PDB file of all heavy atoms in Angstrom:
ATOM      1  N   GLY Z 110       3.435  12.146 -12.810  1.00 91.00           N
ATOM      2  CA  GLY Z 110       4.777  11.613 -13.200  1.00 91.00           C
ATOM      3  C   GLY Z 110       4.952  10.220 -12.661  1.00 91.00           C
ATOM      4  O   GLY Z 110       5.091  10.007 -11.467  1.00 91.00           O
ATOM      5  N   SER Z 111       4.951   9.267 -13.559  1.00 93.00           N
ATOM      6  CA  SER Z 111       5.210   7.874 -13.112  1.00 93.00           C
ATOM      7  C   SER Z 111       6.663   7.671 -12.871  1.00 93.00           C
ATOM      8  O   SER Z 111       7.058   6.733 -12.146  1.00 93.00           O
ATOM      9  CB  SER Z 111       4.679   6.923 -14.141  1.00 93.00           C
ATOM     10  OG  SER Z 111       5.322   7.090 -15.423  1.00 93.00           O
ATOM     11  N   HIS Z 112       7.511   8.506 -13.490  1.00 96.00           N
ATOM     12  CA  HIS Z 112       8.912   8.395 -13.280  1.00 96.00           C
ATOM     13  C   HIS Z 112       9.537   9.746 -13.135  1.00 96.00           C
ATOM     14  O   HIS Z 112       9.132  10.718 -13.795  1.00 96.00           O
ATOM     15  CB  HIS Z 112       9.671   7.714 -14.517  1.00 96.00           C
ATOM     16  CG  HIS Z 112       9.219   6.324 -14.797  1.00 96.00           C
ATOM     17  ND1 HIS Z 112       8.050   5.990 -15.456  1.00 96.00           N
ATOM     18  CD2 HIS Z 112       9.772   5.160 -14.433  1.00 96.00           C
ATOM     19  CE1 HIS Z 112       7.934   4.725 -15.508  1.00 96.00           C
ATOM     20  NE2 HIS Z 112       8.939   4.141 -14.887  1.00 96.00           N
ATOM     21  N   VAL Z 113      10.395   9.891 -12.123  1.00 97.00           N
ATOM     22  CA  VAL Z 113      11.131  11.159 -11.917  1.00 97.00           C
ATOM     23  C   VAL Z 113      12.637  10.830 -11.780  1.00 97.00           C
ATOM     24  O   VAL Z 113      12.990   9.906 -11.048  1.00 97.00           O
ATOM     25  CB  VAL Z 113      10.655  11.844 -10.649  1.00 97.00           C
ATOM     26  CG1 VAL Z 113      11.589  12.993 -10.245  1.00 97.00           C
ATOM     27  CG2 VAL Z 113       9.242  12.334 -10.739  1.00 97.00           C
ATOM     28  N   SER Z 114      13.477  11.618 -12.466  1.00 97.00           N
ATOM     29  CA  SER Z 114      14.912  11.372 -12.411  1.00 97.00           C
ATOM     30  C   SER Z 114      15.574  12.627 -11.889  1.00 97.00           C
ATOM     31  O   SER Z 114      15.289  13.708 -12.420  1.00 97.00           O
ATOM     32  CB  SER Z 114      15.432  10.972 -13.786  1.00 97.00           C
ATOM     33  OG  SER Z 114      16.788  10.691 -13.745  1.00 97.00           O
ATOM     34  N   VAL Z 115      16.461  12.482 -10.931  1.00 97.00           N
ATOM     35  CA  VAL Z 115      17.160  13.635 -10.423  1.00 97.00           C
ATOM     36  C   VAL Z 115      18.630  13.238 -10.253  1.00 97.00           C
ATOM     37  O   VAL Z 115      18.948  12.031 -10.173  1.00 97.00           O
ATOM     38  CB  VAL Z 115      16.639  14.118  -9.050  1.00 97.00           C
ATOM     39  CG1 VAL Z 115      15.230  14.516  -9.142  1.00 97.00           C
ATOM     40  CG2 VAL Z 115      16.805  13.046  -7.991  1.00 97.00           C
ATOM     41  N   SER Z 116      19.500  14.207 -10.139  1.00 97.00           N
ATOM     42  CA  SER Z 116      20.949  13.921  -9.886  1.00 97.00           C
ATOM     43  C   SER Z 116      21.114  13.818  -8.399  1.00 97.00           C
ATOM     44  O   SER Z 116      20.443  14.487  -7.646  1.00 97.00           O
ATOM     45  CB  SER Z 116      21.827  15.006 -10.492  1.00 97.00           C
ATOM     46  OG  SER Z 116      21.691  15.056 -11.874  1.00 97.00           O
ATOM     47  N   GLU Z 117      22.121  13.120  -7.976  1.00 97.00           N
ATOM     48  CA  GLU Z 117      22.480  13.033  -6.601  1.00 97.00           C
ATOM     49  C   GLU Z 117      22.817  14.427  -6.115  1.00 97.00           C
ATOM     50  O   GLU Z 117      23.504  15.190  -6.692  1.00 97.00           O
ATOM     51  CB  GLU Z 117      23.698  12.120  -6.428  1.00 97.00           C
ATOM     52  CG  GLU Z 117      23.944  11.712  -4.917  1.00 97.00           C
ATOM     53  CD  GLU Z 117      25.035  10.697  -4.828  1.00 97.00           C
ATOM     54  OE1 GLU Z 117      25.878  10.565  -5.765  1.00 97.00           O
ATOM     55  OE2 GLU Z 117      25.106  10.001  -3.790  1.00 97.00           O
ATOM     56  N   GLY Z 118      22.177  14.768  -4.922  1.00 97.00           N
ATOM     57  CA  GLY Z 118      22.368  16.091  -4.376  1.00 97.00           C
ATOM     58  C   GLY Z 118      21.312  17.104  -4.761  1.00 97.00           C
ATOM     59  O   GLY Z 118      21.269  18.193  -4.201  1.00 97.00           O
ATOM     60  N   ALA Z 119      20.557  16.788  -5.783  1.00 98.00           N
ATOM     61  CA  ALA Z 119      19.527  17.723  -6.269  1.00 98.00           C
ATOM     62  C   ALA Z 119      18.253  17.606  -5.425  1.00 98.00           C
ATOM     63  O   ALA Z 119      18.004  16.592  -4.700  1.00 98.00           O
ATOM     64  CB  ALA Z 119      19.251  17.480  -7.718  1.00 98.00           C
ATOM     65  N   LEU Z 120      17.370  18.541  -5.549  1.00 97.00           N
ATOM     66  CA  LEU Z 120      16.078  18.540  -4.884  1.00 97.00           C
ATOM     67  C   LEU Z 120      15.176  17.495  -5.437  1.00 97.00           C
ATOM     68  O   LEU Z 120      15.128  17.255  -6.684  1.00 97.00           O
ATOM     69  CB  LEU Z 120      15.410  19.940  -5.094  1.00 97.00           C
ATOM     70  CG  LEU Z 120      13.922  20.046  -4.636  1.00 97.00           C
ATOM     71  CD1 LEU Z 120      13.869  20.032  -3.091  1.00 97.00           C
ATOM     72  CD2 LEU Z 120      13.308  21.277  -5.164  1.00 97.00           C
ATOM     73  N   VAL Z 121      14.496  16.780  -4.572  1.00 98.00           N
ATOM     74  CA  VAL Z 121      13.504  15.839  -4.953  1.00 98.00           C
ATOM     75  C   VAL Z 121      12.116  16.423  -4.719  1.00 98.00           C
ATOM     76  O   VAL Z 121      11.804  16.960  -3.645  1.00 98.00           O
ATOM     77  CB  VAL Z 121      13.616  14.486  -4.134  1.00 98.00           C
ATOM     78  CG1 VAL Z 121      12.492  13.516  -4.523  1.00 98.00           C
ATOM     79  CG2 VAL Z 121      14.993  13.848  -4.348  1.00 98.00           C
ATOM     80  N   LEU Z 122      11.234  16.335  -5.769  1.00 98.00           N
ATOM     81  CA  LEU Z 122       9.883  16.845  -5.662  1.00 98.00           C
ATOM     82  C   LEU Z 122       8.943  15.825  -6.306  1.00 98.00           C
ATOM     83  O   LEU Z 122       9.038  15.617  -7.488  1.00 98.00           O
ATOM     84  CB  LEU Z 122       9.703  18.165  -6.306  1.00 98.00           C
ATOM     85  CG  LEU Z 122       8.246  18.686  -6.410  1.00 98.00           C
ATOM     86  CD1 LEU Z 122       7.590  18.792  -5.051  1.00 98.00           C
ATOM     87  CD2 LEU Z 122       8.185  19.967  -7.197  1.00 98.00           C
ATOM     88  N   LEU Z 123       8.152  15.152  -5.481  1.00 98.00           N
ATOM     89  CA  LEU Z 123       7.191  14.157  -6.072  1.00 98.00           C
ATOM     90  C   LEU Z 123       5.788  14.699  -5.687  1.00 98.00           C
ATOM     91  O   LEU Z 123       5.478  15.017  -4.542  1.00 98.00           O
ATOM     92  CB  LEU Z 123       7.368  12.845  -5.359  1.00 98.00           C
ATOM     93  CG  LEU Z 123       8.779  12.207  -5.408  1.00 98.00           C
ATOM     94  CD1 LEU Z 123       8.836  10.835  -4.805  1.00 98.00           C
ATOM     95  CD2 LEU Z 123       9.235  12.109  -6.871  1.00 98.00           C
ATOM     96  N   ARG Z 124       5.014  14.798  -6.737  1.00 97.00           N
ATOM     97  CA  ARG Z 124       3.672  15.487  -6.628  1.00 97.00           C
ATOM     98  C   ARG Z 124       2.513  14.545  -6.386  1.00 97.00           C
ATOM     99  O   ARG Z 124       2.446  13.473  -6.932  1.00 97.00           O
ATOM    100  CB  ARG Z 124       3.398  16.313  -7.898  1.00 97.00           C
ATOM    101  CG  ARG Z 124       4.416  17.374  -8.203  1.00 97.00           C
ATOM    102  CD  ARG Z 124       4.165  18.049  -9.534  1.00 97.00           C
ATOM    103  NE  ARG Z 124       5.267  18.927  -9.872  1.00 97.00           N
ATOM    104  CZ  ARG Z 124       5.375  20.186  -9.461  1.00 97.00           C
ATOM    105  NH1 ARG Z 124       4.469  20.698  -8.672  1.00 97.00           N
ATOM    106  NH2 ARG Z 124       6.413  20.943  -9.907  1.00 97.00           N
ATOM    107  N   CYS Z 125       1.626  15.052  -5.515  1.00 96.00           N
ATOM    108  CA  CYS Z 125       0.383  14.258  -5.154  1.00 96.00           C
ATOM    109  C   CYS Z 125      -0.750  15.244  -4.970  1.00 96.00           C
ATOM    110  O   CYS Z 125      -0.649  16.161  -4.206  1.00 96.00           O
ATOM    111  CB  CYS Z 125       0.645  13.448  -3.861  1.00 96.00           C
ATOM    112  SG  CYS Z 125      -0.844  12.618  -3.255  1.00 96.00           S
ATOM    113  N   ASN Z 126      -1.822  14.980  -5.686  1.00 95.00           N
ATOM    114  CA  ASN Z 126      -3.027  15.673  -5.527  1.00 95.00           C
ATOM    115  C   ASN Z 126      -4.183  14.734  -5.143  1.00 95.00           C
ATOM    116  O   ASN Z 126      -4.214  13.594  -5.659  1.00 95.00           O
ATOM    117  CB  ASN Z 126      -3.427  16.485  -6.772  1.00 95.00           C
ATOM    118  CG  ASN Z 126      -2.485  17.638  -6.959  1.00 95.00           C
ATOM    119  OD1 ASN Z 126      -1.451  17.587  -7.601  1.00 95.00           O
ATOM    120  ND2 ASN Z 126      -2.875  18.831  -6.469  1.00 95.00           N
ATOM    121  N   TYR Z 127      -5.025  15.152  -4.339  1.00 91.00           N
ATOM    122  CA  TYR Z 127      -6.120  14.306  -3.863  1.00 91.00           C
ATOM    123  C   TYR Z 127      -7.432  15.007  -4.067  1.00 91.00           C
ATOM    124  O   TYR Z 127      -7.530  16.165  -4.180  1.00 91.00           O
ATOM    125  CB  TYR Z 127      -5.952  13.933  -2.397  1.00 91.00           C
ATOM    126  CG  TYR Z 127      -6.150  15.114  -1.464  1.00 91.00           C
ATOM    127  CD1 TYR Z 127      -7.366  15.387  -0.926  1.00 91.00           C
ATOM    128  CD2 TYR Z 127      -5.025  15.965  -1.180  1.00 91.00           C
ATOM    129  CE1 TYR Z 127      -7.526  16.529  -0.122  1.00 91.00           C
ATOM    130  CE2 TYR Z 127      -5.273  17.003  -0.333  1.00 91.00           C
ATOM    131  CZ  TYR Z 127      -6.465  17.333   0.150  1.00 91.00           C
ATOM    132  OH  TYR Z 127      -6.688  18.412   0.980  1.00 91.00           O
ATOM    133  N   SER Z 128      -8.482  14.175  -4.124  1.00 86.00           N
ATOM    134  CA  SER Z 128      -9.771  14.790  -4.131  1.00 86.00           C
ATOM    135  C   SER Z 128     -10.558  14.125  -2.960  1.00 86.00           C
ATOM    136  O   SER Z 128     -10.553  12.883  -2.848  1.00 86.00           O
ATOM    137  CB  SER Z 128     -10.534  14.530  -5.433  1.00 86.00           C
ATOM    138  OG  SER Z 128     -10.741  13.137  -5.615  1.00 86.00           O
ATOM    139  N   SER Z 129     -11.123  14.953  -2.112  1.00 72.00           N
ATOM    140  CA  SER Z 129     -11.877  14.390  -0.999  1.00 72.00           C
ATOM    141  C   SER Z 129     -12.831  15.428  -0.535  1.00 72.00           C
ATOM    142  O   SER Z 129     -12.579  16.634  -0.495  1.00 72.00           O
ATOM    143  CB  SER Z 129     -10.920  14.066   0.137  1.00 72.00           C
ATOM    144  OG  SER Z 129     -11.678  13.574   1.248  1.00 72.00           O
ATOM    145  N   SER Z 130     -14.006  15.011  -0.148  1.00 66.00           N
ATOM    146  CA  SER Z 130     -15.036  15.921   0.241  1.00 66.00           C
ATOM    147  C   SER Z 130     -14.858  16.412   1.724  1.00 66.00           C
ATOM    148  O   SER Z 130     -15.420  17.383   2.166  1.00 66.00           O
ATOM    149  CB  SER Z 130     -16.454  15.296   0.124  1.00 66.00           C
ATOM    150  OG  SER Z 130     -16.508  14.112   0.846  1.00 66.00           O
ATOM    151  N   VAL Z 131     -14.066  15.692   2.414  1.00 66.00           N
ATOM    152  CA  VAL Z 131     -13.773  16.033   3.818  1.00 66.00           C
ATOM    153  C   VAL Z 131     -12.250  15.939   3.970  1.00 66.00           C
ATOM    154  O   VAL Z 131     -11.626  15.206   3.244  1.00 66.00           O
ATOM    155  CB  VAL Z 131     -14.431  15.139   4.817  1.00 66.00           C
ATOM    156  CG1 VAL Z 131     -15.926  15.254   4.758  1.00 66.00           C
ATOM    157  CG2 VAL Z 131     -13.982  13.743   4.659  1.00 66.00           C
ATOM    158  N   PRO Z 132     -11.698  16.647   4.990  1.00 67.00           N
ATOM    159  CA  PRO Z 132     -10.229  16.508   5.181  1.00 67.00           C
ATOM    160  C   PRO Z 132      -9.830  15.107   5.384  1.00 67.00           C
ATOM    161  O   PRO Z 132     -10.325  14.440   6.303  1.00 67.00           O
ATOM    162  CB  PRO Z 132     -10.001  17.361   6.464  1.00 67.00           C
ATOM    163  CG  PRO Z 132     -11.119  18.304   6.442  1.00 67.00           C
ATOM    164  CD  PRO Z 132     -12.308  17.619   5.872  1.00 67.00           C
ATOM    165  N   PRO Z 133      -8.890  14.622   4.592  1.00 77.00           N
ATOM    166  CA  PRO Z 133      -8.493  13.207   4.691  1.00 77.00           C
ATOM    167  C   PRO Z 133      -7.257  13.043   5.592  1.00 77.00           C
ATOM    168  O   PRO Z 133      -6.641  13.974   6.048  1.00 77.00           O
ATOM    169  CB  PRO Z 133      -8.160  12.891   3.285  1.00 77.00           C
ATOM    170  CG  PRO Z 133      -7.520  14.152   2.776  1.00 77.00           C
ATOM    171  CD  PRO Z 133      -8.242  15.288   3.500  1.00 77.00           C
ATOM    172  N   TYR Z 134      -6.948  11.767   5.824  1.00 87.00           N
ATOM    173  CA  TYR Z 134      -5.674  11.425   6.370  1.00 87.00           C
ATOM    174  C   TYR Z 134      -4.758  11.107   5.125  1.00 87.00           C
ATOM    175  O   TYR Z 134      -5.149  10.414   4.262  1.00 87.00           O
ATOM    176  CB  TYR Z 134      -5.711  10.165   7.207  1.00 87.00           C
ATOM    177  CG  TYR Z 134      -6.660  10.297   8.396  1.00 87.00           C
ATOM    178  CD1 TYR Z 134      -7.970  10.035   8.373  1.00 87.00           C
ATOM    179  CD2 TYR Z 134      -6.104  10.770   9.621  1.00 87.00           C
ATOM    180  CE1 TYR Z 134      -8.811  10.143   9.491  1.00 87.00           C
ATOM    181  CE2 TYR Z 134      -6.929  10.875  10.726  1.00 87.00           C
ATOM    182  CZ  TYR Z 134      -8.253  10.630  10.716  1.00 87.00           C
ATOM    183  OH  TYR Z 134      -9.110  10.745  11.766  1.00 87.00           O
ATOM    184  N   LEU Z 135      -3.585  11.721   5.157  1.00 91.00           N
ATOM    185  CA  LEU Z 135      -2.698  11.593   4.008  1.00 91.00           C
ATOM    186  C   LEU Z 135      -1.399  10.968   4.374  1.00 91.00           C
ATOM    187  O   LEU Z 135      -0.868  11.213   5.455  1.00 91.00           O
ATOM    188  CB  LEU Z 135      -2.435  12.942   3.385  1.00 91.00           C
ATOM    189  CG  LEU Z 135      -3.577  13.733   2.837  1.00 91.00           C
ATOM    190  CD1 LEU Z 135      -3.324  15.195   2.706  1.00 91.00           C
ATOM    191  CD2 LEU Z 135      -3.990  13.113   1.460  1.00 91.00           C
ATOM    192  N   PHE Z 136      -0.882  10.148   3.527  1.00 94.00           N
ATOM    193  CA  PHE Z 136       0.322   9.408   3.795  1.00 94.00           C
ATOM    194  C   PHE Z 136       1.233   9.363   2.546  1.00 94.00           C
ATOM    195  O   PHE Z 136       0.772   9.385   1.430  1.00 94.00           O
ATOM    196  CB  PHE Z 136      -0.005   7.892   4.184  1.00 94.00           C
ATOM    197  CG  PHE Z 136      -0.987   7.791   5.289  1.00 94.00           C
ATOM    198  CD1 PHE Z 136      -2.367   7.692   5.003  1.00 94.00           C
ATOM    199  CD2 PHE Z 136      -0.542   7.625   6.629  1.00 94.00           C
ATOM    200  CE1 PHE Z 136      -3.272   7.535   6.021  1.00 94.00           C
ATOM    201  CE2 PHE Z 136      -1.474   7.467   7.593  1.00 94.00           C
ATOM    202  CZ  PHE Z 136      -2.837   7.392   7.337  1.00 94.00           C
ATOM    203  N   TRP Z 137       2.535   9.269   2.826  1.00 97.00           N
ATOM    204  CA  TRP Z 137       3.465   8.831   1.760  1.00 97.00           C
ATOM    205  C   TRP Z 137       4.195   7.592   2.217  1.00 97.00           C
ATOM    206  O   TRP Z 137       4.612   7.459   3.390  1.00 97.00           O
ATOM    207  CB  TRP Z 137       4.529   9.931   1.593  1.00 97.00           C
ATOM    208  CG  TRP Z 137       4.109  11.004   0.607  1.00 97.00           C
ATOM    209  CD1 TRP Z 137       3.670  12.306   0.872  1.00 97.00           C
ATOM    210  CD2 TRP Z 137       4.186  11.008  -0.874  1.00 97.00           C
ATOM    211  NE1 TRP Z 137       3.422  12.993  -0.259  1.00 97.00           N
ATOM    212  CE2 TRP Z 137       3.736  12.161  -1.314  1.00 97.00           C
ATOM    213  CE3 TRP Z 137       4.618   9.956  -1.756  1.00 97.00           C
ATOM    214  CZ2 TRP Z 137       3.646  12.433  -2.697  1.00 97.00           C
ATOM    215  CZ3 TRP Z 137       4.499  10.250  -3.059  1.00 97.00           C
ATOM    216  CH2 TRP Z 137       4.046  11.482  -3.602  1.00 97.00           C
ATOM    217  N   TYR Z 138       4.291   6.618   1.299  1.00 97.00           N
ATOM    218  CA  TYR Z 138       5.009   5.344   1.550  1.00 97.00           C
ATOM    219  C   TYR Z 138       6.074   5.216   0.496  1.00 97.00           C
ATOM    220  O   TYR Z 138       6.016   5.771  -0.580  1.00 97.00           O
ATOM    221  CB  TYR Z 138       4.034   4.216   1.441  1.00 97.00           C
ATOM    222  CG  TYR Z 138       2.961   4.073   2.506  1.00 97.00           C
ATOM    223  CD1 TYR Z 138       1.754   4.789   2.403  1.00 97.00           C
ATOM    224  CD2 TYR Z 138       3.188   3.200   3.580  1.00 97.00           C
ATOM    225  CE1 TYR Z 138       0.793   4.594   3.374  1.00 97.00           C
ATOM    226  CE2 TYR Z 138       2.173   3.046   4.542  1.00 97.00           C
ATOM    227  CZ  TYR Z 138       0.991   3.772   4.456  1.00 97.00           C
ATOM    228  OH  TYR Z 138       0.019   3.646   5.412  1.00 97.00           O
ATOM    229  N   VAL Z 139       7.102   4.458   0.866  1.00 97.00           N
ATOM    230  CA  VAL Z 139       8.176   4.110  -0.009  1.00 97.00           C
ATOM    231  C   VAL Z 139       8.302   2.583  -0.178  1.00 97.00           C
ATOM    232  O   VAL Z 139       7.990   1.894   0.782  1.00 97.00           O
ATOM    233  CB  VAL Z 139       9.519   4.686   0.458  1.00 97.00           C
ATOM    234  CG1 VAL Z 139       9.931   4.129   1.769  1.00 97.00           C
ATOM    235  CG2 VAL Z 139      10.671   4.440  -0.610  1.00 97.00           C
ATOM    236  N   GLN Z 140       8.539   2.150  -1.409  1.00 97.00           N
ATOM    237  CA  GLN Z 140       8.711   0.737  -1.636  1.00 97.00           C
ATOM    238  C   GLN Z 140      10.021   0.425  -2.332  1.00 97.00           C
ATOM    239  O   GLN Z 140      10.309   0.989  -3.441  1.00 97.00           O
ATOM    240  CB  GLN Z 140       7.555   0.197  -2.485  1.00 97.00           C
ATOM    241  CG  GLN Z 140       7.638  -1.317  -2.720  1.00 97.00           C
ATOM    242  CD  GLN Z 140       6.469  -1.853  -3.517  1.00 97.00           C
ATOM    243  OE1 GLN Z 140       5.924  -1.152  -4.420  1.00 97.00           O
ATOM    244  NE2 GLN Z 140       6.067  -3.128  -3.268  1.00 97.00           N
ATOM    245  N   TYR Z 141      10.877  -0.333  -1.736  1.00 94.00           N
ATOM    246  CA  TYR Z 141      12.171  -0.743  -2.281  1.00 94.00           C
ATOM    247  C   TYR Z 141      11.873  -2.093  -2.979  1.00 94.00           C
ATOM    248  O   TYR Z 141      10.931  -2.793  -2.685  1.00 94.00           O
ATOM    249  CB  TYR Z 141      13.250  -0.899  -1.207  1.00 94.00           C
ATOM    250  CG  TYR Z 141      13.527   0.432  -0.525  1.00 94.00           C
ATOM    251  CD1 TYR Z 141      13.013   0.738   0.731  1.00 94.00           C
ATOM    252  CD2 TYR Z 141      14.330   1.410  -1.182  1.00 94.00           C
ATOM    253  CE1 TYR Z 141      13.302   1.965   1.338  1.00 94.00           C
ATOM    254  CE2 TYR Z 141      14.577   2.635  -0.560  1.00 94.00           C
ATOM    255  CZ  TYR Z 141      14.034   2.916   0.667  1.00 94.00           C
ATOM    256  OH  TYR Z 141      14.312   4.115   1.254  1.00 94.00           O
TER     257      TYR Z 141
END
Side-chain angles (χ1 to χ4, degrees):
Chain Z
S111 59
H112 297 83
V113 170
S114 182
V115 301
S116 297
E117 193 173 22
L120 171 72
V121 176
L122 171 61
L123 304 181
R124 300 177 187 274
C125 173
N126 288 88
Y127 69 92
S128 66
S129 175
S130 57
V131 297
Y134 298 90
L135 295 161
F136 307 88
W137 274 100
Y138 291 84
V139 61
Q140 184 179 30
Y141 298 102

